Amino acid sequence: MSTQSNRQVICDVLIEEAQNNANLFVACSDSRGSASLTPFANAYPNQFVEVGIAEQNLVGIAAGLASCHKQVFVASPASFLTTRSYEQCKVDVAYSQTNVKLIGISGGVSYGALGMTHHSCQDYAAMGALTGMRVYSPSDAQLTRCLVQELLKDDQPAYIRVSRSASPDVYEGNLDFVLNKANVLCSGSKVLIVANGEMVFYAKEAAARLNKDGISTGVIDMYCLKPFDEATLLEQAKDVDLVVSVEEHSQYGGLGSRVAQTLCHHLPKKLIEIYLPDEHLISGTNKEVFQYYGLDADGIEKAVRNAL
């Protein structure tokens, strides 16, 4: 079981890259500690920009640096980065196609105890609606490392949502990673569970229980929300009776919406969507929130059994 958070992995990869890349810059909005980027700031102070609690300025400055041929990674709480600086993300980054990678730290209900002001349950929808913006939600440390390493190779905008807590390992051994291609953890003939971010671990656990009871269940890690890997979804869903989407996000405009849209257009199937409801959520740790709303392994397993 991993004890490393995805945000720490991002810092590690950026430090490795900065050793040979003087054009790599990291910018934060008084969030270097919560983003686990203090080691980068200490190691490369001349490539680190602290803006303070000013998210709009943060994104604007990052876009300005990128226009001067710098490669910029921005880190700020997802709840603020994707709301306060939305216009800058739209115009300065997505529309202008600047080489800025936006990292939404503590996404979803990572700040669970702080309540709705700090929840980020709309970011998939908001960032996915921006023309020219890619959207990713990696599930564990190994996938996060592979994703960031690939994004360092291109000059296009992207939004990456990561959780606050350490993410349990989803992948064992070396991951055969292809950017923008979903990962099939296992195939099934009865049920297909499509998940991303922290939900993948719970989906995998639920599938193991269902498979043990003879309910053949597959799992897709759809870390790439945009571009969305329709081909893998359709291939894995073609023979199953039930498709299940699981996301740490509102029911509107996220993973479930993309799965439903794809199936409706190409492969009508019975679909159930597990998501955070359109209401002011309870306060508590993220695991308590997951359990309460049925997003943990028990909730996913129960939903599948009820649907069947």
Side-chain angles (χ1 to χ4, degrees):
M1 188 73 68
S2 173
T3 57
Q4 190 175 32
S5 66
N6 293 344
R7 55 198 171 111
Q8 181 61 57
V9 173
I10 292 174
C11 181
D12 293 344
V13 175
L14 294 180
I15 286 176
E16 293 167 7
E17 175 70 16
Q19 294 175 8
N20 299 301
N21 184 356
N23 286 319
L24 175 66
F25 274 68
V26 171
C28 287
S29 57
D30 193 32
S31 52
R32 73 181 75 181
S34 55
S36 296
L37 284 166
T38 300
F40 185 97
N42 291 340
Y44 298 98
N46 294 330
Q47 292 170 245
F48 182 83
V49 180
E50 175 57 74
V51 175
I53 304 175
E55 289 81 4
Q56 294 172 328
N57 290 343
L58 173 70
V59 177
I61 289 169
L65 285 167
S67 70
C68 297
H69 309 293
K70 305 302 180 184
Q71 188 174 20
V72 191
F73 278 71
V74 167
S76 184
S79 55
F80 308 135
L81 180 64
T82 63
T83 54
R84 292 178 181 171
S85 58
Y86 192 59
E87 182 181 3
Q88 286 69 33
C89 293
K90 173 187 175 183
V91 178
D92 298 347
V93 179
Y95 175 71
S96 301
Q97 285 293 283
T98 48
N99 189 3
V100 176
K101 307 303 192 289
L102 302 162
I103 305 169
I105 59 173
S106 300
V109 294
S110 292
Y111 286 130
L114 296 179
M116 283 297 291
T117 57
H118 285 61
H119 292 168
S120 177
C121 306
Q122 82 302 319
D123 53 340
Y124 294 164
M127 302 306 282
L130 298 179
T131 300
M133 181 68 71
R134 297 170 294 175
V135 180
Y136 302 102
S137 184
S139 56
D140 76 351
Q142 185 174 182
L143 180 57
T144 300
R145 170 173 284 276
C146 292
L147 174 62
V148 175
Q149 287 174 336
E150 285 300 308
L151 293 179
L152 280 163
K153 298 176 183 178
D154 68 47
D155 59 0
Q156 304 302 305
Y159 171 69
I160 311 163
R161 184 223 262 193
V162 295
S163 61
R164 182 175 180 81
S165 57
S167 299
D169 289 333
V170 170
Y171 297 95
E172 300 174 1
N174 292 327
L175 172 61
D176 184 16
F177 180 83
V178 178
L179 185 64
N180 300 329
K181 183 174 177 58
N183 295 314
V184 179
L185 301 182
C186 58
S187 297
S189 60
K190 186 75 173 177
V191 179
L192 174 64
I193 305 175
V194 187
N196 63 5
E198 284 197 86
M199 298 298 98
V200 178
F201 175 78
Y202 297 114
K204 184 179 177 182
E205 191 173 70
R209 298 177 190 175
L210 293 165
N211 280 313
K212 187 176 181 180
D213 285 350
I215 303 173
S216 181
T217 302
V219 179
I220 293 177
D221 180 352
M222 190 65 76
Y223 73 90
C224 45
L225 276 154
K226 184 185 177 186
F228 188 78
D229 186 3
E230 292 187 350
T232 297
L233 171 62
L234 295 173
E235 175 62 28
Q236 293 297 311
K238 64 182 180 181
D239 296 323
V240 303
D241 299 326
L242 174 68
V243 178
V244 182
S245 66
V246 189
E247 61 188 314
E248 186 185 354
H249 188 270
S250 160
Q251 68 193 86
Y252 300 111
L255 176 63
S257 297
R258 291 305 311 272
V259 171
Q261 185 179 50
T262 301
L263 295 178
C264 181
H265 287 175
H266 304 288
L267 185 70
K269 289 279 181 179
K270 182 176 181 179
L271 168 69
I272 59 172
E273 300 170 63
I274 304 175
Y275 44 67
L276 293 167
D278 185 29
E279 62 187 46
H280 297 307
L281 305 179
I282 65 166
S283 295
T285 67
N286 60 341
K287 290 181 174 57
E288 289 170 341
V289 176
F290 296 158
Q291 182 182 35
Y292 186 86
Y293 292 110
L295 272 69
D296 61 0
D298 290 340
I300 298 169
E301 179 187 6
K302 181 179 179 180
V304 170
R305 292 186 187 274
N306 288 342
L308 292 175

